[in-house]
């Protein structure tokens, strides 16, 4: 059937925009993430991402965003689907890991969420 791949521009319900550049033959890809909201009060900037997708029709994937404006990392994992109109949709789960100077705070430094991305 029609392949659902990750290359292109995406937007989620938080208003974040993501660009996935070329998906290579081994499934690796690079991209950029522009977040609309943050857990910090710092100026938001475009941040790089690196990932892998399977090369099936409805591929599972994973990618990591290294935030350039905060000392944190988000890892995403999910699957690419086609909706009833044949539009690609990315169903994702993510973990946002923030840094703390105090190991006593370790327990509270990982946030979990779910977000859907639609083609921009
Ligand atoms: C805007 N977001 C978004 O589009 N998400 C899917 C979630 C998971 S990554 C987070 C933004 C983290 C920014 C860096 C930081 O606040 O430490 C939030």
């Amino acid at each position: 059937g029609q392949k659902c791949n990750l290359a292109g521009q995406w937007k989620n319900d938080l208003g974040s925009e993501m660009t996935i550049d070329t998906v290579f033959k081994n499934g690796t890809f690079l991209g950029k993430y522009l977040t609309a909201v943050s857990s910090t009060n710092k100026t938001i900037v475009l941040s790089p991402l690196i990932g892998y997708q399977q090369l099936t029709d409805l591929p599972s994937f994973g990618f990591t965003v290294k935030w350039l404006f905060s000392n944190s990392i988000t890892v995403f994992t999910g699957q690419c689907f086609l909706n009833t109109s044949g539009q690609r949709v990315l169903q994702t789960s993510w973990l946002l890991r923030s840094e703390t100077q105090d190991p006593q705070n370790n327990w509270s430094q990982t946030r979990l969420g779910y977000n859907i991305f639609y083609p921009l």
Side-chain angles (χ1 to χ4, degrees):
Q2 188 202 341
K3 276 194 181 287
C4 176
N5 80 42
L6 267 68
Q9 299 211 288
W10 301 91
K11 188 166 185 156
N12 71 16
D13 49 326
L14 297 175
S16 299
E17 298 189 0
M18 171 169 76
T19 302
I20 305 286
D21 302 316
T22 320
V23 177
F24 297 101
K25 288 192 181 56
N26 66 354
T28 57
F29 58 84
L30 300 170
K32 299 170 266 303
Y33 203 101
L34 180 62
T35 173
V37 294
S38 156
S39 60
T40 65
N41 50 14
K42 294 178 189 147
T43 317
I44 287 170
V45 294
L46 214 48
S47 299
L49 68 86
I50 288 183
Y52 269 115
Q53 68 160 87
Q54 293 287 358
L55 298 175
T56 50
D57 279 358
L58 301 177
S60 52
F61 57 85
F63 61 89
T64 301
V65 185
K66 173 186 184 283
W67 303 107
L68 297 185
F69 59 88
S70 81
N71 294 331
S72 58
I73 293 269
T74 299
V75 295
F76 288 81
T77 191
Q79 188 174 357
C80 190
F81 293 107
L82 298 177
N83 67 18
T84 45
S85 332
Q87 279 269 12
R88 295 174 301 161
V89 177
L90 303 183
Q91 291 282 356
T92 75
S93 316
W94 50 263
L95 296 172
L96 166 59
R97 173 72 206 199
S98 306
E99 291 182 9
T100 177
Q101 299 315 310
D102 180 355
Q104 303 277 353
N105 299 334
N106 176 62
W107 67 272
S108 66
Q109 299 303 308
T110 307
R111 292 178 170 95
L112 159 71
Y114 303 89
N115 280 91
I116 306 175
F117 290 79
Y118 300 94
L120 237 179

